[in-house]
Amino acid sequence: MSPLIEIVPSGDAPDLSGYAGVIFTSANAVANAPAGEGRPAYCVGPQTTEAALAAGWQAQMSGFDAVSMIAELSGRADLGPLLHLAGLHRRGDIAGDLTATGLTTDVHTLYEQRLLALSDEAQHLLQGDDPVLVPLFSPRSAAQFAREAARTAQVLAVSISDAAAQALEGLPLRAHDVAALPTGEAMAEAVEKLFRRSTLP
């Protein structure tokens, strides 16, 4: 295991008193948020939704990604105001986009995603002649891998989205697949398929 991102809580607790509900776009946000206590939560993806339900939120999935969430909640002024509980590094501006449609939404940073170097063991594996499966769960972690990897000729990469896959463009890879959906289950299936394809005679 060689994580490329470390989750570091900000320590700044959000004031939820002025909001009708929250938005979660990752399970990391749920883990660093206050207990739900039955309050509404609009979530991206099944893992985040399940985590929010377990943490006491009245959670519902509102799309597999930010684009589909914005499309589903767009203009629903009756749901707000909402607070997007998020990490410091985030793609796009969900709060701004929803507010522009009439659904007032603010954002509060709960944690930072600090970049980590690849471990010596990981670099050693990459330098070898055996294939190395590398699942990449975000565009930022994919970009970090592209910067860090000493050698990629034997890498079997699996990216969670097209945006993550773009970070590996130009790298010499043994194989590269993109998950059918941006979910943990789809990533696991993609890793298994790539593993089988690479090991069968």
Side-chain angles (χ1 to χ4, degrees):
M1 297 293 291
S2 182
L4 291 164
I5 288 178
E6 175 186 26
I7 302 301
V8 181
S10 69
D12 186 10
D15 180 3
L16 303 178
S17 60
Y19 297 95
V22 303
I23 288 173
F24 288 124
T25 48
S26 81
N28 288 320
V30 178
N32 286 279
E37 298 179 349
R39 288 171 289 209
Y42 305 93
C43 306
V44 166
Q47 285 85 14
T48 302
T49 306
E50 290 169 11
L53 285 169
W57 295 89
Q58 184 186 329
Q60 66 179 61
M61 191 173 107
S62 300
F64 282 102
D65 55 26
V67 173
S68 54
M69 166 176 272
I70 290 169
E72 182 170 324
L73 301 182
S74 182
R76 293 289 308 277
D78 57 302
L79 300 179
L82 301 179
L83 183 63
H84 180 197
L85 298 175
L88 177 62
H89 302 279
R90 45 192 178 261
R91 290 175 58 81
D93 179 13
I94 290 176
D97 290 346
L98 287 176
T99 297
T101 74
L103 173 52
T104 300
T105 307
D106 296 325
V107 63
H108 179 89
T109 299
L110 287 176
Y111 60 94
E112 180 182 355
Q113 309 97 312
R114 291 182 186 168
L115 296 175
L116 299 175
L118 280 170
S119 68
D120 291 341
E121 182 183 11
Q123 294 284 23
H124 177 73
L125 288 172
L126 292 171
Q127 294 281 13
D129 294 326
D130 293 326
V132 182
L133 268 164
V134 181
L136 297 162
F137 285 82
S138 72
R140 197 157 176 261
S141 60
Q144 176 69 348
F145 177 78
R147 285 189 294 267
E148 282 284 313
R151 181 171 177 264
T152 60
Q154 295 300 323
V155 167
L156 308 171
V158 180
S159 295
I160 195 167
S161 65
D162 289 333
Q166 288 174 6
L168 305 184
E169 288 182 358
L171 290 181
L173 302 171
R174 181 163 173 166
H176 186 193
D177 287 353
V178 179
L181 291 170
T183 67
E185 287 89 348
M187 281 291 284
E189 290 176 6
V191 166
E192 183 177 359
K193 287 179 182 178
L194 187 53
F195 174 76
R196 288 180 175 178
R197 196 168 77 230
S198 66
T199 55
L200 290 174

